[in-house]
Amino acid sequence: MTLDLFTATERRDEPLADGAWVLRGFALDIGQALVEDIHAVAEQAPFRHLVTPGGFTMSVAMTNCGQFGWCSDRRGYRYDQIDPITGKPWPAMPPRFARLAAEAAAHAGYPGFDPDACLVNRYIPGSRLTLHQDRDERDGTQPIVSVSLGVPATFQFGGNERAGPKQRVPLVHGDVVVWGGPSRLAYHGVLPLKEASHPLTGEYRFNITFRAARWKAEG
Ligand code: MD3
Ligand code: FE
């Protein structure tokens, strides 16, 4: 038998910070189905590399499903009901996604989570997310739920100020993290992905984040 140090095999809840939990292995049993759902979403709304307002092209490729999709370009960050590439609404949120998000949030103490936005991130070796806050969502009482699939990554988690101390948290296939309450506006990022291979995703890491954007067009 080969010992695989990267694959969680059991479910376990780990406190991360005030209001934030790592639910190890929470999505493990539906991991393959989630990856298939991602491919189906990407067939309708292709992965693309967004440009930041500062003019940098992101190393992480992104797409969305659900009512609202997170978008970035030279004009800024926003949520949009229309995919700027296809000109069509984002694909519907797969029922399995919505179920998982609500179950994980309830498990972590946030009952009634009803996300209207789902951002799907795709990492290749070297892709990273620099330290940032997720502050484009209007309902600060709702958590964010994130699901990690495929190749493992190191997540960086800080406090409510950019300069504060940071924890490093390994996230592997099937891990779910719920961020709410006092942690909702914490700075966070993902270190450059290392080269590795996962049986379900090859060299890729996928991360799905569920959000209550509650965006209104009038700003
Ligand atoms: C902590 N994605 O898409 S998910 C993002 O792994 C993003 O792709 C990362 O950060 C990824 O914005 C990390 C974990 C995450 C998401 C939202 C948070 C952590 C968070 C909001 C507040 C605090
Ligand atoms: Fe984020």
Side-chain angles (χ1 to χ4, degrees):
M1 179 198 148
T2 311
L3 184 61
D4 180 353
L5 296 171
F6 297 116
T7 308
T9 49
E10 56 179 40
R11 289 165 70 128
R12 184 157 51 93
D13 302 342
E14 293 175 5
L16 180 60
D18 255 7
W21 290 88
V22 184
L23 311 180
R24 296 283 181 205
F26 194 87
L28 208 48
D29 53 346
I30 57 168
Q32 179 161 7
L34 293 172
V35 171
E36 286 165 12
D37 285 343
I38 289 173
H39 292 316
V41 165
E43 252 171 58
Q44 293 175 255
F47 281 102
R48 77 287 309 263
H49 293 271
L50 298 174
V51 175
T52 66
F56 295 100
T57 300
M58 298 179 74
S59 60
V60 175
M62 297 179 170
T63 187
N64 291 278
C65 61
Q67 189 184 357
F68 294 98
W70 187 80
C71 299
S72 175
D73 61 21
R74 291 307 299 248
R75 291 180 294 158
Y77 305 132
R78 69 189 158 277
Y79 280 94
D80 207 317
Q81 293 189 258
I82 301 296
D83 175 351
I85 286 191
T86 65
K88 295 191 293 191
W90 298 101
M93 207 181 295
R96 211 187 327 269
F97 278 24
R99 245 180 352 249
L100 173 65
E103 280 172 16
H107 190 84
Y110 302 97
F113 182 46
D114 181 22
D116 57 11
C118 174
L119 173 65
V120 185
N121 293 337
R122 187 184 70 188
Y123 294 73
I124 57 170
S127 298
R128 67 195 179 110
L129 269 191
T130 55
L131 217 60
H132 67 277
Q133 296 171 293
D134 290 14
R135 50 185 315 154
D136 301 322
E137 302 74 25
R138 298 186 148 216
D139 187 349
T141 71
Q142 296 281 300
I144 288 185
V145 171
S146 101
V147 183
S148 291
L149 296 165
V151 168
T154 302
F155 181 72
Q156 237 189 340
F157 184 69
N160 288 337
E161 265 144 71
R162 189 183 286 276
K166 284 146 204 91
Q167 305 185 54
R168 286 182 174 195
V169 184
L171 291 178
V172 306
H173 180 79
D175 287 348
V176 174
V177 192
V178 182
W179 327 81
S183 291
R184 178 61 185 78
L185 288 180
Y187 278 90
H188 60 279
V190 178
L191 298 184
L193 196 77
K194 291 191 179 148
E195 226 164 297
S197 179
H198 188 279
L200 294 175
T201 66
E203 70 176 349
Y204 291 127
R205 170 179 189 255
F206 294 105
N207 181 269
I208 324 173
T209 49
F210 298 96
R211 301 138 187 272
R214 308 293 188 258
W215 193 263
K216 296 281 183 298
E218 65 268 27

